[in-house]
Amino acid sequence: MDKFDVILNKDSIQFGERRFFPPFKKEEVDSFLGEPFCYEWDCKIDGKTERRQTFLWPELGIRGYQNDSMDEYKAFAFFVEKGEYFFSEFNKIMNVFSGQILVGKKPYRRCKMKCEHLTSCTLRQGVFTLYTFLPEFFPVLEKEAPEFLEDAKKDSRVVEICYAPLKPKTNKYKLKKCDEEILHFDNFNFKLAIVQELMYNKKVLEPLFDIHEFAEEYSRRTIDIDDEGYEPIKEAVNWFKKLEIPARLADEVTELDMDAGDDIYLNICPLWDGEDSYFDLKKVSKEELSQFKSLKRASIMAENFKKVAPVFEELGIEVEDYY
């Protein structure tokens, strides 16, 4: 077969000029790539030995992962560099894939990928996820976790493309007007401290906000958490600003313990290091604080503690400085 490139689109994979849409029917793929070699091996799971198999095109440097019924492919692996692989049996039989692997029009190594915990690099493209390990991370890995370096090198020699359907959209984060009395807030950071207590600690305020889930469902633009997460993500900030909290939940707040590691902050600014005072209480009004009749004690993050503390003390609330 002549050399061909693989192009990963948002809804399909192209092998040269031939475009395949998921689910990838085995007979259709085989008609283009040729009859695959069925490789079998024994795998121990929970003390039991199971016979496993996969399909290979050794001369092309391609592996196909089939579904349980064996009539579709759910993923493909491309052996992009000669060397040692995780399956040592492949070391001698697999050729190197001779074409380019493109994400859209860009070679995959020039694409921006997530590299979580230095274990693998991933890229989401529509209904697909690409997995590999980028060599530029080798020096970092050698310094921070050298015991994983050899595995990372094996990963870098193979590019896997998996079909991963998008989760159906929900209305979970569509804010609704509250049909009862709501709490009033003059200061957003104080509201966030209350949300932490009600939503994440007591779990009486819904929905439980998850920034990764929110970003996945957000349709007006792509929210790249890895790129934007060092600053407050404006859409998350706006969501919490608009969130209405029923006044009946005020009695649930008996104490506040503000902490830089609180869920509320990491769901607004996921990569925040807690080193700045962005979420500090700059001020609190007597009107908003007096809504919480059951609040007896508070530990607050406030750079100007001496300015903020008297409002708590005036209402008989024991207050201490987080710092």
Side-chain angles (χ1 to χ4, degrees), residues 54-67:
T54 191
F55 294 103
L56 306 175
W57 292 269
E59 69 286 355
L60 298 176
I62 301 175
R63 176 185 180 184
Y65 299 80
Q66 74 282 2
N67 63 353

Side-chain angles (χ1 to χ4, degrees), residues 173-190:
Y173 294 106
K174 185 176 181 180
L175 291 170
K176 298 175 183 177
K177 267 292 188 189
C178 206
D179 57 2
E180 56 185 300
E181 185 183 352
I182 61 173
L183 294 172
H184 167 77
F185 294 93
D186 298 312
N187 297 284
F188 182 56
N189 284 357
F190 178 63

Side-chain angles (χ1 to χ4, degrees), residues 13-275:
I13 297 178
Q14 279 180 245
F15 292 165
E17 297 298 319
R18 183 77 177 270
R19 194 168 182 175
F20 295 93
F21 292 86
F24 303 109
K25 294 298 182 183
K26 187 176 183 302
E27 59 183 24
E28 294 178 6
V29 175
D30 292 354
S31 70
F32 179 80
L33 295 179
E35 191 64 29
F37 165 65
C38 183
Y39 174 78
E40 297 186 349
W41 74 99
D42 290 328
C43 180
K44 281 199 172 182
I45 301 176
D46 297 330
K48 296 181 180 180
T49 300
E50 293 185 8
R51 193 68 172 167
R52 294 296 179 89
Q53 57 184 199
T54 191
F55 294 103
L56 306 175
W57 292 269
E59 69 286 355
L60 298 176
I62 301 175
R63 176 185 180 184
Y65 299 80
Q66 74 282 2
N67 63 353
D68 292 338
S69 58
M70 307 286 285
D71 60 352
E72 294 173 359
Y73 292 111
K74 59 183 181 181
F76 298 97
F78 302 89
F79 292 70
V80 295
E81 183 184 326
K82 200 67 178 174
E84 188 177 343
Y85 307 119
F86 276 107
F87 278 87
S88 58
E89 293 86 348
F90 294 167
N91 294 346
K92 293 180 180 179
I93 66 172
M94 296 302 290
N95 287 344
V96 172
F97 177 69
S98 60
Q100 291 190 90
I101 298 177
L102 306 172
V103 179
K105 296 181 179 180
K106 189 184 293 187
Y108 77 94
R109 282 194 174 177
R110 288 174 48 200
C111 294
K112 187 170 185 179
M113 297 190 194
K114 295 180 180 180
C115 191
E116 297 180 1
H117 311 299
L118 292 175
T119 54
S120 85
C121 299
T122 63
L123 180 150
R124 183 81 187 209
Q125 173 79 337
V127 296
F128 301 100
T129 303
L130 182 150
Y131 299 89
T132 188
F133 198 93
L134 298 178
E136 53 261 40
F137 289 102
F138 288 166
V140 180
L141 195 60
E142 189 170 19
K143 181 180 179 181
E144 296 184 10
E147 65 274 19
F148 297 120
L149 183 59
E150 286 307 309
D151 284 349
K153 287 181 178 178
K154 292 175 184 177
D155 277 342
S156 72
R157 297 177 185 129
V158 179
V159 174
E160 289 190 8
I161 295 175
C162 302
Y163 170 50
L166 295 171
K167 292 181 181 178
K169 297 289 184 183
T170 70
N171 289 321
K172 179 176 178 179
Y173 294 106
K174 185 176 181 180
L175 291 170
K176 298 175 183 177
K177 267 292 188 189
C178 206
D179 57 2
E180 56 185 300
E181 185 183 352
I182 61 173
L183 294 172
H184 167 77
F185 294 93
D186 298 312
N187 297 284
F188 182 56
N189 284 357
F190 178 63
K191 180 180 183 181
L192 293 182
I194 295 298
V195 170
Q196 170 65 35
E197 182 65 13
L198 295 175
M199 183 178 288
Y200 297 102
N201 295 350
K202 295 285 184 67
K203 292 182 170 54
V204 293
L205 178 62
E206 295 181 335
L208 187 72
F209 186 93
D210 181 283
I211 186 60
H212 297 277
E213 188 178 60
F214 176 82
E216 200 170 292
E217 293 202 5
Y218 194 78
S219 58
R220 295 186 182 179
R221 73 174 184 92
T222 299
I223 298 175
D224 188 335
I225 292 174
D226 286 340
D227 187 45
E228 304 174 44
Y230 294 95
E231 300 290 334
I233 294 174
K234 61 182 180 180
E235 288 83 2
V237 171
N238 290 337
W239 191 89
F240 281 108
K241 282 184 175 179
K242 294 176 182 177
L243 176 67
E244 295 182 343
I245 304 175
R248 59 182 165 77
L249 295 180
D251 286 343
E252 296 280 349
V253 183
T254 57
E255 58 183 20
L256 287 179
D257 282 293
M258 295 179 67
D259 188 283
D262 282 343
D263 294 297
I264 184 67
Y265 308 130
L266 299 180
N267 277 291
I268 289 177
C269 187
L271 302 176
W272 186 51
D273 60 9
E275 295 297 318

Side-chain angles (χ1 to χ4, degrees), residues 187 281-286 289 300 302-314 319 321:
N187 297 284
L281 294 186
K282 309 298 189 295
K283 56 183 179 178
V284 179
S285 71
K286 184 177 178 181
L289 189 55
I300 61 173
E303 261 192 347
N304 196 344
F305 179 77
K306 291 182 178 179
K307 180 181 177 182
V308 178
V311 185
F312 286 85
E313 293 167 342
E314 186 180 346
V319 61
D321 190 355

